[in-house]
Amino acid sequence: MAANLVRGSLARLIGSWLNVLSWFNENSNVLTMFANVAMVVIWIGYFQLFFFNYRRQNRSSLFITRAQGSGAEATILVTNMSAARFYVTNVLVASPEKADWTEITERPANEECDSLQGPLGPGDTISLGSLVSLTGRVKSGDGEKDATVLVIGHHGTQEKPVGARRTFFVFEEDGELRSSSRSAKIEQLRSGADSKWLTRLREEFALK
């Protein structure tokens, strides 16, 4: 009796597997199509991951910020947040309303290197001096205390110039000079139009 039950169970199990195999055989074309679609989706995912990683490693990212407090003597720092080296060629400052740029070529007196030009490795930082000293360089006749800082250079092995800019301002509060930025966002200049503008700007200072 027990043997008959075992044989019956095995027969039903084998029958079930045969039905499954028969279903796979009858629907092989549909299954193949779904497998191909799944493979395409996986490859698209890998391609997007590769593309975004490549794009991140091949785009410049400069961080321009204040340090050492929020007073007028706060230091303006430029940090290379890119994955590759960034070679600084020009540091300019101007009023945001009047694009009459002034070039800054020397580092603050307490810096080891005199020139602002040179390579910045990933995570490296340079100091541009105090904000009040930068606003003092802005060509303005109406006493305004805003200053737009513009950093120009080359990212990695790219030939076209790229850069970043940010606007800061000095104001009086409770009898003391304070400082702040016009926007929390740092404008990264990477587009083709940006590169053309930066090239023209550099050529103007090269002729001076």
Side-chain angles (χ1 to χ4, degrees):
M1 185 68 178
N4 292 333
L5 289 176
V6 171
R7 284 195 297 270
S9 298
L10 288 175
R12 286 192 296 271
L13 181 61
I14 293 173
S16 298
W17 276 107
L18 290 175
N19 290 334
V20 171
L21 292 175
S22 177
W23 184 87
F24 273 107
N25 185 55
E26 292 174 358
N27 298 274
S28 60
N29 292 334
V30 176
L31 294 174
T32 301
M33 182 187 68
F34 278 111
N36 291 335
V37 170
M39 185 63 67
V40 169
V41 171
I42 292 173
W43 276 109
I44 290 175
Y46 275 120
F47 176 78
Q48 287 183 332
L49 182 64
F50 172 80
F51 174 77
F52 287 126
N53 186 55
Y54 175 83
R55 185 180 179 185
R56 182 185 66 83
Q57 293 180 349
N58 288 273
R59 67 189 307 185
S60 64
S61 180
L62 297 178
F63 192 67
I64 307 173
T65 187
R66 293 173 301 147
Q68 300 177 352
S70 59
E73 295 294 335
T75 302
I76 302 301
L77 302 177
V78 178
T79 304
N80 178 22
M81 303 300 290
S82 315
R85 296 175 73 85
F86 188 94
Y87 190 92
V88 178
T89 59
N90 304 84
V91 178
L92 309 177
V93 62
S95 165
E97 286 79 19
K98 301 176 182 178
D100 194 357
W101 296 97
T102 299
E103 186 170 20
I104 304 172
T105 57
E106 309 88 10
R107 289 195 185 190
N110 58 344
E111 294 287 323
E112 295 181 0
C113 180
D114 294 333
S115 176
L116 286 172
Q117 290 185 344
L120 282 178
D124 287 352
T125 300
I126 56 172
S127 171
L128 305 183
S130 67
L131 178 56
V132 70
S133 68
L134 295 179
T135 56
R137 292 173 179 259
V138 174
K139 297 177 181 179
S140 173
D142 54 9
E144 62 188 20
K145 294 296 182 181
D146 290 30
T148 297
V149 177
L150 171 62
V151 182
I152 308 173
H154 294 275
H155 174 251
T157 59
Q158 296 179 5
E159 295 185 0
K160 68 176 184 178
V162 291
R165 63 183 169 190
R166 192 177 190 184
T167 299
F168 300 90
F169 66 100
V170 176
F171 61 97
E172 187 174 344
E173 183 179 72
D174 298 330
E176 296 184 1
L177 289 179
R178 313 290 291 176
S179 64
S180 184
S181 59
R182 286 295 182 192
S183 173
K185 183 179 180 180
I186 302 164
E187 186 178 2
Q188 304 294 330
L189 307 173
R190 311 187 189 102
S191 69
D194 290 333
S195 293
K196 291 180 180 179
W197 176 67
L198 295 175
T199 299
R200 291 195 301 268
L201 198 57
R202 288 201 312 184
E203 290 174 351
E204 291 178 9
F205 279 94
L207 295 175
K208 290 184 177 181

